[in-house]
Amino acid sequence: PFTPNTKRKRPLTLLRAFTVGGLGLPDHEPISLGTRHPSSISLIRIQAEIDGDEIVAADVANGYGHRGAEKLFEVRDYRSMIMLADRHDWLAAFSGELGLALTLDNAMRLSPPPRASVLRTLLAELARVHSHLSFLSYLADDELSPTLWGTVEALRGRFLAWAGNRVHPMLNRVGGLASDAPEEWLGALDPVLDDVARLAAALRGRLAATDRFRGLAVLDRDACLGYGLSGPVSRAAGLDLDRRATGYLAYDRVFVPAPGRTAGDADARLGVLIDELDASADMVRAARALAAETPGEVSTRLSRRLKVPEGEHVTDIEAPWGIASCLMVSRGGQTPWRVGLRTPSFANLSALGPALVGARVTQLPDVVASLGYTVGDADK
């Protein structure tokens, strides 16, 4: 339970409550980051201790979208459970299903066809761009907003053209992909990637033109290590834990690192997101060229009933907001005995309360916007 600081001498406004996203809660002040911002889906609750208009303590509660995701995995066979992983982080659905599929591949000692690994890399970076643009919509004003969301819809259109689904592609399978890219699909990416590059330049200009995020909500290297922060948040503080640099999938041939930063503030975090738009677009182009040189199948033939070898199997990937880990415990049956997920959204929300300390009440939306999360991705 939240315990206010009773040792302060000046009068405080205790337990002022805020709700971010969703329909809100009774007696909570609603905080909106925009009608289409990812935070508007489901909600988190913040109880803050206020000294004047400064936040001196904050307690963040999430879990209002709770579905018991980890337990649901454990009553599904190894093929159907990929569908649940796809719905964990709805802004990067492909990354969710990829983490589980790679865990199964590694546990069963499967080597997916080379073309499947290349295309998985390309799709993972498109999912990263989709997620980053959705969060960066906070920087887009009325003039830039239609362009940004038009590009987001164009990305969804590319997934629709391949998978038949705009948001939940469900393309991963154990041992590869459900299907190869349709004819002319890879070539049709150029207009979308060009729009992403223009958007990155425009957003970079918007961020440089304001100082509202500078020095705000600093999370330094030690804080990142203490709260298990990774991805753009840790890279903004000079701590690079990028799993792509280890070369999984086809990243050993296409990886392009984004410039690092050291300030660890909201400005640096948003700046890293913008820089990664360019890096991901470059990786998509490189993966597309590599796919043209890598013909062949994209799936592995398997028996109808899959059984994972007994033991604990762990796989890490680099999701858009950081390291996402999947722990799978098998006892040799057709369903897992235990599936546990370590997600960047859960880590980011654990650090949101400390990040808010020292900020003004009016700056609360700026802090939340710089620490991205998806409520489904924080579900346990």
Side-chain angles (χ1 to χ4, degrees):
F2 180 77
T3 303
N5 186 345
T6 57
K7 296 181 180 180
R8 288 181 169 269
K9 295 181 180 179
R10 289 192 290 171
L12 302 176
T13 303
L14 298 179
L15 295 180
R16 186 170 171 185
F18 306 90
T19 298
V20 182
L23 299 176
L25 294 172
D27 302 321
H28 284 61
E29 299 178 40
I31 299 293
S32 175
L33 277 66
T35 55
R36 296 191 66 182
H37 192 270
S39 64
S40 64
I41 303 174
S42 195
L43 58 88
I44 62 171
R45 183 189 67 190
I46 301 172
Q47 287 185 298
E49 180 181 343
I50 311 297
D51 185 351
D53 65 343
E54 180 184 345
I55 300 173
V56 296
D59 181 59
V60 178
N62 67 294
Y64 292 94
H66 185 69
R67 299 161 294 167
E70 291 184 350
K71 302 306 293 181
L72 291 176
F73 281 118
E74 296 165 12
V75 294
R76 281 163 172 78
D77 64 60
Y78 291 110
R79 283 190 173 93
S80 63
M81 64 193 301
I82 295 177
M83 177 271 293
L84 288 175
D86 175 277
R87 284 150 177 77
H88 208 70
D89 180 356
W90 42 76
L91 291 177
F94 184 84
S95 293
E97 60 186 66
L98 175 64
L100 186 60
L102 286 177
T103 303
L104 290 166
D105 291 350
N106 295 337
M108 299 177 67
R109 307 295 192 268
L110 295 176
S111 296
R115 182 171 176 83
S117 294
V118 173
L119 292 176
R120 278 175 164 180
T121 307
L122 183 149
L123 290 166
E125 290 308 307
L126 286 180
R128 192 180 315 276
V129 171
H130 179 270
S131 177
H132 282 6
L133 282 178
S134 300
F135 284 102
L136 286 168
S137 65
Y138 187 67
L139 291 178
D141 59 15
D142 293 340
E143 179 183 350
L144 190 57
S145 181
T147 303
L148 184 147
W149 288 114
T151 303
V152 170
E153 288 298 331
L155 284 167
R156 293 172 180 170
R158 290 293 81 211
F159 281 109
L160 177 66
W162 183 339
N165 294 300
R166 295 169 60 253
V167 178
H168 300 289
M170 267 304 298
L171 283 170
N172 275 288
R173 295 293 186 272
V174 181
L177 293 171
S179 63
D180 203 338
E183 187 177 356
E184 307 299 330
W185 190 92
L186 293 171
L189 288 174
D190 280 320
V192 181
L193 297 177
D194 291 342
D195 287 343
V196 169
R198 285 191 286 268
L199 269 172
L203 290 167
R204 192 173 290 113
R206 298 289 168 87
L207 187 61
T210 181
D211 60 357
R212 60 188 282 193
F213 300 103
R214 295 171 193 167
L216 177 64
V218 175
L219 292 167
D220 59 17
R221 180 188 178 95
D222 290 339
C224 291
L225 291 172
Y227 287 98
L229 305 175
S230 56
V233 180
S234 70
R235 287 193 281 276
L239 179 63
D240 192 354
L241 305 172
D242 200 329
R243 286 297 188 268
R244 292 172 294 179
T246 64
Y248 73 94
L249 293 180
Y251 282 114
D252 59 333
R253 290 170 285 176
V254 305
F255 181 55
V256 178
R261 303 185 183 223
T262 58
D265 56 7
D267 184 85
R269 291 191 288 273
L270 293 171
V272 169
L273 290 184
I274 295 170
D275 292 340
E276 289 191 357
L277 292 178
D278 287 326
S280 291
D282 289 343
M283 281 186 265
V284 170
R285 295 184 192 276
R288 180 177 60 179
L290 188 58
E293 303 170 0
T294 315
E297 299 294 325
V298 297
S299 61
T300 304
R301 290 189 177 184
L302 302 169
S303 61
R304 294 185 63 183
R305 294 185 177 183
L306 298 183
K307 291 186 179 181
V308 170
E310 291 188 25
E312 295 186 1
H313 311 281
V314 181
T315 300
D316 298 336
I317 68 166
E318 185 72 16
W321 278 101
I323 299 170
S325 302
C326 176
L327 164 68
M328 183 179 298
V329 182
S330 171
R331 290 186 172 177
Q334 296 179 35
T335 60
W337 183 76
R338 177 77 174 95
V339 173
L341 302 177
R342 187 270 181 208
T343 65
S345 290
F346 192 86
N348 287 3
L349 284 173
S350 72
L352 178 56
L356 285 168
V357 174
R360 304 293 179 185
V361 172
T362 54
Q363 294 175 310
L364 196 154
D366 293 347
V367 178
V368 175
S370 73
L371 269 175
Y373 65 89
T374 306
V375 169
D377 194 46
D379 192 10
K380 303 301 291 181

